[in-house]
Amino acid sequence: VIEKAELQNVHVEQNGELFYNGKEQSATTKKQADVTFGSSEQVQFTYGLSEDGTFTDSVPAFKNRGSYFVYYKPNYNDYVGILEVIIQPGNLAGATVTISPETSVYTGQEQTPSSVKVVLGDVTLPESDYEILYRREGQENGFVTPKDAGTYQVMITGTDNLLGSWKWETFTITKSSPTIQVKSTYTREF
């Protein structure tokens, strides 16, 4: 009778931290499994999104900040474990922000840049990843919509995937040049 190899101390965990970067990421893992008897073959693990679903050699990839549960199986016996994959919020500090235009001329109307592009690494982030707020230079609290001539601090603040991070840029509204029209009436008698 050939007995099935037995495992002890079976454990798989995420190795290192993952941070949101706008792309799908797969966790690297630390694996532990001791074969008590029956085989000298190295223990291999496969991973799946459900206990009875398809399993592959790679840990599934995830994109957004959050905690994900992945099932794992060693290549011995019927053991199934759960690996928690955590993606932490990303940070806007390393992002490149492009505001266009950076300067506008006073019109008497509220105005903001027509385009704000936020790039983290090599990924242009969707607008749902951040919120744009404005504060007039020298203003200590609260936010406004730019209208009057002056310099405004533009705060790009992370939402969900970038929660707790922000980046500052500037937007300026310059004074307009007044247009003066002169109407004259000239009469001449003959």
Side-chain angles (χ1 to χ4, degrees):
V1 174
I2 298 175
E3 292 190 39
K4 202 173 193 180
E6 299 248 346
L7 296 177
Q8 287 182 329
N9 303 321
V10 179
H11 182 72
V12 176
E13 65 183 41
Q14 181 173 326
N15 186 22
E17 293 182 306
L18 295 175
F19 293 90
Y20 174 77
N21 63 10
K23 298 186 227 180
E24 287 203 345
Q25 307 177 71
S26 184
T28 58
T29 58
K30 287 193 268 186
K31 301 167 234 168
Q32 167 70 42
D34 299 326
V35 179
T36 57
F37 69 89
S39 177
S40 60
E41 186 180 339
Q42 185 176 0
V43 179
Q44 300 292 321
F45 290 89
T46 55
Y47 306 90
L49 293 174
S50 66
E51 189 171 357
D52 55 356
T54 303
F55 280 68
T56 66
D57 292 337
S58 300
V59 175
F62 302 98
K63 180 178 176 182
N64 294 316
R65 170 185 83 95
S67 179
Y68 302 91
F69 293 99
V70 175
Y71 293 89
Y72 64 87
K73 291 182 186 180
N75 57 339
Y76 292 94
N77 68 27
D78 298 326
Y79 181 88
V80 176
I82 297 176
L83 158 68
E84 182 178 18
V85 174
I86 298 171
I87 298 178
Q88 303 289 339
N91 192 337
L92 283 169
T96 302
V97 177
T98 307
I99 294 176
S100 179
E102 293 177 355
T103 304
S104 187
V105 176
Y106 175 77
T107 63
Q109 303 295 313
E110 292 182 344
Q111 49 187 322
T112 58
S114 58
S115 169
V116 176
K117 182 178 174 184
V118 180
V119 179
L120 186 60
D122 61 352
V123 176
T124 300
L125 298 177
E127 290 180 15
S128 59
D129 276 348
Y130 55 89
E131 183 178 5
I132 302 168
L133 303 167
Y134 301 89
R135 179 176 285 162
R136 190 166 174 119
E137 192 171 72
Q139 179 182 344
E140 292 188 27
N141 296 312
F143 296 96
V144 298
T145 301
K147 178 179 176 182
D148 298 325
T151 300
Y152 294 84
Q153 296 172 322
V154 182
M155 181 183 191
I156 295 88
T157 181
T159 59
D160 196 34
N161 283 317
L162 298 160
L163 194 61
S165 67
W166 59 88
K167 182 110 178 174
W168 291 96
E169 296 295 332
T170 57
F171 174 66
T172 303
I173 299 176
T174 60
K175 293 180 180 181
S176 63
S177 301
T179 303
I180 301 173
Q181 289 184 335
V182 177
K183 291 185 178 182
S184 67
T185 309
Y186 178 73
T187 52
R188 182 174 174 166
E189 290 186 30
F190 293 92

